[in-house]
Amino acid sequence: LYNCQYGDNGSTPTEVTTKDMREVVKQLKGADGIMFEPRIAASRDIGTEPVRAAYWCTLHTDLEVDLEELPNFQPVHKYAHPAMAKPGEIGALGNLRILASSVGSLISGSPDVYNMFCSARDAYGSVQIDKGMVQHIFNDAKSGGTSNPLWQYSTQGWKAFAGNKILNDSWIVRARATLDS
């Protein structure tokens, strides 16, 4: 857990700053976390920049404006190769590539506190449902035969396997921030 502390909005945690995000990266690097994404090399296109090798940071879309105002924030349209951005990616800040979602983690309060989950590669593992067998089972009322004389009941369900597991706690940092006032 990391609470943003270098902002000046007077809340605890404060709004996100470049220094706070550097502290998060420092924690991931200090734990020997492996970066997800390789460096995106420079191109000859005018107004674009290379992108550093990076960890991923997932956050709520409400934080986009605060991030875009940070001096070192690099929006996707300035990537040397913007087509290499992932769906939902809004930009990069140092060694973090940022994914934003309207269903990002938010704790309502006064003020609202936003969770930003920053992780290294192999911090967690998952088994995808589409890699295994999924069964949809439907029995209509008539399939009950004589055991269901009034044919009143139908059943429907599905079964599948899926699993998620944190593999290394020190490769995931939950950073908390409030909005700039």
Side-chain angles (χ1 to χ4, degrees), residues 40 45 48 76-87 89 97:
I40 298 176
D45 296 336
T48 64
V76 168
H77 70 271
K78 288 193 175 183
Y79 284 10
H81 302 282
M84 293 179 75
K86 304 292 188 221
E89 185 173 352
R97 290 188 46 193

Side-chain angles (χ1 to χ4, degrees), residues 7-19:
D8 56 10
N9 69 4
S11 298
T12 302
T14 67
E15 76 274 12
V16 64
T17 66
T18 301
K19 190 170 182 178

Side-chain angles (χ1 to χ4, degrees), residues 3 14 20 28 38 49 66 68 80 144 160:
N3 284 318
T14 67
D20 288 312
L28 292 170
E49 304 166 3
D66 286 4
E68 289 169 351

